[in-house]
Amino acid sequence: MTNQTEVIVYGAEVLCPSCVNLPSSKEQYDWLQAAISRKFGEEGIQYTYVDIFNPPEEEPYHSFAKQVVDEDLIYPVVFVDDELVGEGDPRLKRVYKALESRGFEPTA
């Protein structure tokens, strides 16, 4: 298994105009974190939430948050490390597959 993998969720408190009837980005971030932890445990996975309207200055977060806004991407946008695994309504299957490809195995 890799030493550390990062799950990054880019989103905003306000709902995406294309995401009517979906939870907010922050709610989806919390849901993803809980689902991943249940399946793979908590060791080796770091979670980062980036508010696209108030991103940190740190790269690559700042640049991609600007890209989400400038290109009107459907958020939340979810990455596992540098791999885009979801946009708008992320699918656990794709997220799990990306984690498994990095050596993570389901617990019990």
Side-chain angles (χ1 to χ4, degrees):
M1 177 171 48
T2 59
N3 290 338
Q4 189 71 21
T5 291
E6 185 177 23
V7 174
I8 311 163
V9 176
Y10 292 86
E13 292 301 315
V14 295
L15 290 179
C16 168
S18 301
C19 301
V20 177
N21 298 324
L22 290 177
S24 71
S25 296
K26 187 68 168 153
E27 290 170 324
Q28 289 191 51
Y29 167 76
D30 292 339
W31 169 76
L32 277 170
Q33 188 171 358
I36 292 167
S37 294
R38 277 192 305 275
K39 185 162 179 97
F40 296 101
E42 297 183 19
E43 189 174 323
I45 303 173
Q46 174 186 333
Y47 300 90
T48 304
Y49 179 79
V50 178
D51 184 326
I52 60 173
F53 296 114
N54 190 22
E57 290 299 320
E58 183 182 350
E59 293 299 341
Y61 310 118
H62 186 81
S63 295
F64 192 77
K66 184 175 178 348
Q67 183 178 345
V68 172
V69 173
D70 291 349
E71 296 180 12
D72 291 324
L73 297 178
I74 300 171
Y75 50 87
V77 178
V78 181
F79 280 85
V80 173
D81 293 326
D82 59 354
E83 180 184 351
L84 176 65
V85 295
E87 183 181 345
D89 187 14
R91 302 287 180 221
L92 281 176
K93 188 174 184 175
R94 287 194 67 201
V95 175
Y96 290 167
K97 184 177 178 183
L99 289 168
E100 288 169 352
S101 75
R102 287 162 175 76
F104 288 90
E105 296 180 5
T107 58

